Amino acid sequence: MQFETIAAQAAHHIDETTGAVAPPIYLSTTFERDPDGEYSRGFVYSRVDNPNRRALEQCLALLEGGETGSAEAAAFASGSAATAVVFQALAPGDHVIAPDDCYHGTSKMLREVFAPWGLQTSFVDMTDVDSVRQAVQPNTRLIWVETPSNPLLKITDITRMAEIAKSAGAVCACDNTWASPMLQRPFELGADLVVHSTTKYLSGHEDVTGGAVVCREDSALFQRVRLIQNLCGAVPSPFDCWLTLRGIRTLPARMPTHSANAGRLARFLQDHPRVSAVHYPGLPDHPGQDIAAKQMSDFGGMLSFQVVGGRDAAMAVAARVRLFVRATSLGGTQSLIEHRASIEGPDTPTPDALLRVSVGLENVDDLLADLAQALG
Ligand code: PLP
């Protein structure tokens, strides 16, 4: 089965008892035990497992893992919860290599939650393969990749990172949120784990928060992820799983439009006299263009750009938009624009003149006209 078919049929989950094509939402927190004490119907308690969560996890495993059927997925209450579980699955004293440009919540989590817990992290520029190699230590257990990165759209070579991880006896995990499994297939490039904020492209409609950890095949590490999911309980509700699965059904139809619209906006911005830099891997002069073209089937719906005149000028552009929505997050149907540094906080390395754009599914001419009038 091809990707589009798996997504459109949400891994073909027809309700067994009723034949319902759109699955029912199972709100029950607990499930009946057999007279002999067994659970022959497979469910015990909804923190541990639930029919809607199981359907979502099976679909995510197929979407990321493909037909081999060996991938396993665990769904969580947010992308950040999924990220945290991967770090928790390590041991205090372990060393992680993470990118210098990535979702600020991930780097903050490593600094403020997992450093006191005993995890050591080196933040490196992953576009420089040698600096990653040099950062490896005897206790390195995880190389965390985020590509394209948030918010500078840096491109990391997943194959090279997976090779370095393998020779160091470490695991390579890829946050695949920005590309989605439709545009980038980290397992085929050697990654061991994929993490998603399903809040973004997978659910796709700005109406559900969720996350997932997907493992190329069942492993001791994935068993630990499952154990933490079960015992610590950061699980999504049945309705959240249902909404995410509903969003997945249209992922193959949405991603090409996100990418095409973003490409048009990036080219427009590149030629604009009030824009000093555009970060979009589909632009020929983007430093990661070659790698992106190799490891992504399209360049995605995210871009960022820097406005001539710094922070105030960037804020003024954001203030003037009429069609774009000034809001954080990404991956939904509506185009969003955000002054990123002010949401990340005073110690952010993000340039002050930078606006991040999640390009939605509107008519691209309407989007271009709005940006043109906002830039003045
Ligand atoms: N990973 C990336 C790349 C993100 O952009 C985000 C959120 O923006 C997250 C993880 C965190 O996801 P969530 O907001 O669902 O916790």
Side-chain angles (χ1 to χ4, degrees), residues 158-189:
I158 300 172
T159 307
R160 293 281 94 73
M161 295 304 115
E163 283 166 5
I164 297 172
K166 198 168 180 202
S167 60
V171 162
C172 176
C174 180
D175 184 332
N176 205 22
T177 299
W178 278 32
S180 90
M182 179 153 183
L183 304 188
Q184 184 166 266
R185 318 220 26 93
F187 292 149
E188 291 167 19
L189 301 165

Side-chain angles (χ1 to χ4, degrees), residues 78-80 83 103 106 146 150 175 177-178 197 199-200 209-210 330:
S78 68
S80 303
T83 301
Y103 170 55
T106 302
E146 184 185 298
N150 180 357
D175 184 332
T177 299
W178 278 32
S197 167
T199 315
K200 318 299 183 190
T209 305
L330 59 116

Side-chain angles (χ1 to χ4, degrees), residues 53-346:
R53 200 172 90 208
R54 191 181 289 183
L56 173 62
E57 289 176 343
Q58 287 175 350
C59 186
L60 289 168
L62 278 175
L63 287 178
E64 278 293 356
E67 276 198 283
T68 61
S70 55
E72 297 272 340
F76 291 92
S78 68
S80 303
T83 301
V85 167
V86 175
F87 300 144
Q88 275 180 300
L90 303 175
D94 285 351
H95 175 246
V96 177
I97 301 176
D100 62 352
D101 186 66
C102 68
Y103 170 55
H104 82 118
T106 302
S107 52
K108 205 166 172 181
M109 189 190 300
L110 282 164
R111 288 193 174 94
E112 296 188 15
V113 179
F114 285 99
W117 182 77
L119 216 56
Q120 300 163 23
T121 305
S122 301
F123 293 94
V124 300
D125 177 1
M126 288 200 173
T127 63
D128 177 3
V129 177
D130 283 338
S131 65
V132 178
R133 228 176 255 122
Q134 281 156 20
V136 172
Q137 301 179 9
N139 58 342
T140 303
R141 294 286 169 269
L142 174 68
I143 299 185
W144 181 271
V145 175
E146 184 185 298
T147 183
S149 69
N150 180 357
L152 285 174
L153 284 291
K154 285 188 177 186
I155 298 296
T156 298
D157 189 328
I158 300 172
T159 307
R160 293 281 94 73
M161 295 304 115
E163 283 166 5
I164 297 172
K166 198 168 180 202
S167 60
V171 162
C172 176
C174 180
D175 184 332
N176 205 22
T177 299
W178 278 32
S180 90
M182 179 153 183
L183 304 188
Q184 184 166 266
R185 318 220 26 93
F187 292 149
E188 291 167 19
L189 301 165
D192 305 287
L193 284 183
V194 167
V195 173
H196 279 286
S197 167
T198 57
T199 315
K200 318 299 183 190
Y201 289 106
L202 282 160
S203 63
H205 295 76
E206 296 126 349
D207 55 11
V208 57
T209 305
V213 178
V214 193
C215 191
R216 195 174 50 205
E217 57 208 359
D218 203 0
S219 62
L221 185 67
F222 188 73
Q223 285 308 316
R224 214 154 159 79
V225 167
R226 268 273 183 250
L227 185 78
I228 299 168
Q229 181 195 40
N230 178 345
L231 294 179
C232 300
V235 290
S237 74
F239 186 44
D240 288 351
C241 296
W242 188 93
L243 278 173
T244 307
L245 208 49
R246 185 175 70 161
I248 286 172
R249 289 173 187 257
T250 57
L251 182 72
R254 288 184 279 112
M255 289 317 291
T257 306
H258 284 298
S259 298
N261 284 358
R264 280 280 302 281
L265 292 194
R267 289 191 293 280
F268 162 79
L269 288 165
Q270 198 180 28
D271 293 335
H272 200 286
R274 295 208 53 215
V275 173
S276 58
V278 183
H279 309 287
Y280 185 66
L283 291 176
D285 61 354
H286 185 284
Q289 212 273 340
D290 286 356
I291 297 165
K294 209 174 59 188
Q295 71 187 14
M296 300 175 78
S297 59
D298 208 339
F299 302 106
M302 293 301 297
L303 63 87
S304 58
F305 65 100
Q306 284 160 247
V307 181
V308 174
R311 179 194 163 93
D312 291 349
M315 283 293 204
V317 171
R320 281 195 293 266
V321 293
R322 296 184 195 130
L323 200 59
F324 282 82
V325 180
R326 278 181 302 280
T328 195
S329 200
L330 59 116
T333 62
Q334 305 183 70
S335 292
L336 309 180
I337 192 163
E338 180 182 35
H339 182 257
R340 199 58 204 157
S342 52
I343 198 121
E344 292 180 354

